[in-house]
Amino acid sequence: MATVEKMPMLQEGYEKLHADLRRLKEERPLIVDAIEEARAHGDLSENAEYHAAKEQQGQNEAAISEIEDRLSRAQIIDPKELSGDKIVFGATVTLLDDEDKPVRYQIVGQTEADAKTGRISYNSPIGRALIGRKVDDEVEVSVPAGDRYYLVSKIEFI
C-alpha cells in the first residue's frame, strides 16, 4: 500500500494555495462560456478559439487537481512553536559565506520558495545541506555555479 508523503509548509503558503485554488475554481464558468461561444461559431475541426478554450480548460483542471493534492497532504508548521539547536523546516538561518558576508535564509516548502526574498525550499541543494546542522557547522553546497562554503552563524525560529 502506498504511503502519502506529507508536504510541510508554513501557514502563509497554505493560505496562498487556498487563494490560488479559489481563483482557479472561479475561472471555470468563464472557460465554459468561452467554449460555448466558440462552439457556436460552427465547424469545431477548424475552430482555433474552441481548441484554445478546451486547452485552457484542461490546464485549469490540472492546476486545480495539483493544488487540491498539495492541500490534502499539507502539514502546516509554525516556526514560532519550534526550538532547538539544529536547523529544521521553518528555521531562519544566518550563514557567513567565504568572505564573512552574512546571508539569511528561511527553510520553507517547495511552493513557498523564493530565493529573492531569502526563502529556500527544504528540497533545494542549500536547504538539504542545511537541515540538521548546528551553529558553527561548516556547510559545503554544490550548486550549478559551483561549490559554495558557508558557516552557520545563527539559527532562529521566528
Side-chain angles (χ1 to χ4, degrees):
M1 186 169 168
T3 60
V4 177
E5 183 182 333
K6 290 288 186 184
M7 278 190 99
M9 63 180 66
L10 302 176
Q11 181 67 37
E12 179 183 322
Y14 186 81
E15 289 169 5
K16 183 183 180 308
L17 281 177
H18 257 294
D20 290 347
L21 181 62
R22 202 168 22 259
R23 180 185 51 78
L24 289 169
K25 284 185 173 183
E26 288 170 0
E27 287 179 15
R28 275 177 166 164
L30 302 175
I31 295 170
V32 169
D33 290 346
I35 291 170
E36 291 301 320
E37 184 178 324
R39 186 178 282 153
H41 292 189
D43 184 10
L44 298 182
S45 65
E46 295 181 19
N47 189 331
E49 290 173 355
Y50 174 78
H51 293 289
K54 287 296 280 184
E55 184 174 327
Q56 183 183 8
Q57 183 182 40
Q59 290 171 345
N60 193 57
E61 293 303 318
I64 287 171
S65 292
E66 168 124 359
I67 291 173
E68 286 177 337
D69 175 59
R70 287 180 177 186
L71 290 172
S72 72
R73 296 184 297 128
Q75 178 182 4
I76 299 170
I77 296 175
D78 182 356
K80 294 176 186 138
E81 294 178 4
L82 303 174
S83 63
D85 60 349
K86 289 185 178 180
I87 299 171
V88 295
F89 181 94
T92 300
V93 184
T94 303
L95 308 171
L96 298 177
D97 65 10
D98 294 338
E99 299 159 6
D100 286 339
K101 181 179 156 195
V103 182
R104 188 172 157 137
Y105 294 117
Q106 182 177 27
I107 312 295
V108 297
Q110 296 166 311
T111 58
E112 304 164 289
D114 182 4
K116 293 176 187 158
T117 61
R119 298 170 72 120
I120 58 170
S121 168
Y122 67 95
N123 276 341
S124 69
I126 296 174
R128 285 194 311 267
L130 291 174
I131 297 290
R133 301 299 182 118
K134 297 180 176 185
V135 171
D136 293 330
D137 280 357
E138 292 182 13
V139 181
E140 178 183 350
V141 182
S142 295
V143 293
D147 290 345
R148 298 265 170 94
Y149 299 91
Y150 297 101
L151 177 69
V152 179
S153 167
K154 187 177 185 183
I155 302 171
E156 300 171 281
F157 299 99
I158 50 177

